[in-house]
Amino acid sequence: MAVLNGRTAIVTGAGRGLGRAEALELARLGARVVVNDFGQPGRDGTGEASAAPADQVVAEIVAAGGEAVAHHGDVADFEQARGLVQIALDTYGSLDILVNNAGILRDRMVFSMSEDEWDSVIRVHLKGHFNMVRFVAAHWRERAKASGGTVYGRIVNTSSEAFVAGSAGQPNYAAAKGGIIGLTTSSALALRKYGVTVNAICPRARTRMTRDVFEGFAAPAEGVDPLAPEHVAPLVGYLAGPAAQRVNGQVLVVHGGMVAVLDRPRVAARFDTGKEVFSYEELEDLLTPYFAGRDPEETFAAPEILGLKHSVRG
């Protein structure tokens, strides 16, 4: 099924795990793929950068009969992100799909987290996503204005269930993933008139990033691992394809043969003042009874809605 024949895709963080599976799926669907990976061995973004992870995925795609080229730069660097977009245009003459996947982890409780642990995770996840969206959006806008019509543009961003239900030891990661949702919905509104769709996925998969998260959930001896990245890749292929033309500004949770479309936050209760402005006493009378019968640890989006049985990091 070559629904992406003639299309060019960029996948960031594609040397391992989810990004690798997504790059292989897009290639299987016919896309020419620019495989980006900085190649650092540590999931915390440490260690010497290496070309090997991206090059290996390129080799896999080519061996299967597809087209691919590697990029070994840091997408959180503004100019290197610009260069990644330019490689796609110089190599294949077009760019149609962006899958943002690159990220690192530096876990720590909020009361112990260092400034660098905060800044580095925000930089790779959130700034990395922004950098790439910024340059592909500018390219597609320019093309649309030149043609006087619309273009084919698909952006798939990677968020996490951590932004919904929280993750106690990952305030930096949860904040970055929440920021990616804001970037996604804002960009979806800004780019829709050019024919571009922007969506976000919240994947749950067994990768180098999540090896300790799913430590108690061993892969089955037989059959497909429900936490395999291969469960996520087809959704990315769909969102990158022509059938998803009307899917825009959406957040989708995906894992183990399940896709859940998240709704926008809704008002759970409303309180109006009986005067011109609220007083402390009036708020106490209204809000204290409302929260008195509720679990103080209940979040605004209860994780059990999605059937979560364990940590939501992903």
Side-chain angles (χ1 to χ4, degrees):
M1 188 176 188
V3 296
L4 297 180
N5 266 358
R7 303 294 183 190
T8 301
I10 291 174
V11 184
T12 72
R16 305 177 179 94
L18 280 170
R20 172 184 171 275
E22 292 160 355
L24 293 175
E25 176 69 2
L26 293 175
R28 188 188 71 81
L29 294 174
R32 303 167 297 200
V33 185
V34 182
V35 178
N36 160 265
D37 202 284
F38 201 29
Q40 290 176 305
R43 64 176 184 166
D44 60 352
T46 59
E48 186 174 350
S50 169
D55 290 348
Q56 288 168 2
V57 175
V58 168
E60 286 185 76
I61 292 173
V62 172
E67 296 182 66
V69 64
H71 177 270
H72 309 111
D74 176 8
V75 294
D77 181 286
F78 198 69
E79 291 306 317
Q80 291 187 52
R82 187 200 304 269
L84 173 51
V85 172
Q86 195 60 49
I87 281 180
L89 297 173
D90 291 346
T91 305
Y92 298 118
S94 65
L95 175 59
D96 309 282
I97 299 158
L98 167 65
V99 180
N100 276 316
N101 179 71
I104 64 171
L105 291 178
R106 293 193 180 178
D107 296 353
R108 193 84 63 188
M109 298 299 285
V110 68
F111 43 76
S112 303
M113 182 163 286
S114 70
E115 182 180 17
D116 181 64
E117 287 166 339
W118 174 271
D119 288 348
S120 60
V121 170
I122 297 295
R123 176 183 180 274
V124 177
H125 286 275
L126 187 52
K127 187 183 177 188
H129 271 62
F130 159 73
N131 286 348
M132 294 305 302
V133 171
R134 184 255 185 258
F135 288 116
V136 299
H139 168 69
W140 287 330
R141 177 175 179 267
E142 183 178 333
R143 277 180 49 203
K145 291 180 71 174
S147 69
T150 59
V151 299
Y152 186 103
R154 300 285 189 270
I155 298 175
V156 182
N157 291 328
T158 303
S159 184
S160 168
E161 293 164 275
F163 101 92
V164 181
S167 187
Q170 297 182 304
N172 48 4
Y173 180 78
K177 291 306 189 182
I180 287 168
I181 297 302
L183 174 65
T184 297
T185 54
S186 173
S187 301
L189 290 174
L191 300 178
R192 62 185 177 182
K193 67 180 178 181
Y194 303 117
V196 177
T197 67
V198 190
N199 296 288
I201 62 169
C202 298
R204 196 188 306 173
R206 194 188 310 278
T207 68
R208 182 179 60 130
M209 290 265 288
T210 61
R211 61 175 180 260
D212 58 336
V213 176
F214 301 120
E215 191 173 356
F217 298 84
E222 297 181 2
V224 180
D225 181 0
L227 293 171
E230 286 72 21
H231 288 293
V232 177
L235 176 60
V236 172
Y238 167 75
L239 293 173
Q245 175 182 344
R246 294 180 59 82
V247 184
N248 191 35
Q250 300 300 308
V251 180
L252 302 98
V253 175
V254 54
H255 63 86
M258 184 279 289
V259 173
V261 182
L262 298 190
D263 204 352
R264 300 290 176 94
R266 296 182 178 185
V267 176
R270 173 175 166 169
F271 304 91
D272 296 296
T273 181
K275 306 172 184 178
E276 289 189 347
V277 296
F278 272 115
S279 66
Y280 174 91
E281 292 78 12
E282 187 180 14
L283 288 170
E284 182 178 15
D285 290 341
L286 291 171
L287 295 180
T288 301
Y290 175 75
F291 286 104
R294 299 167 67 92
D295 182 347
E297 305 234 342
E298 183 181 340
T299 63
F300 69 89
E304 60 266 26
I305 292 173
L306 300 179
L308 306 186
K309 303 296 184 183
H310 48 75
S311 171
V312 297
R313 291 182 286 177

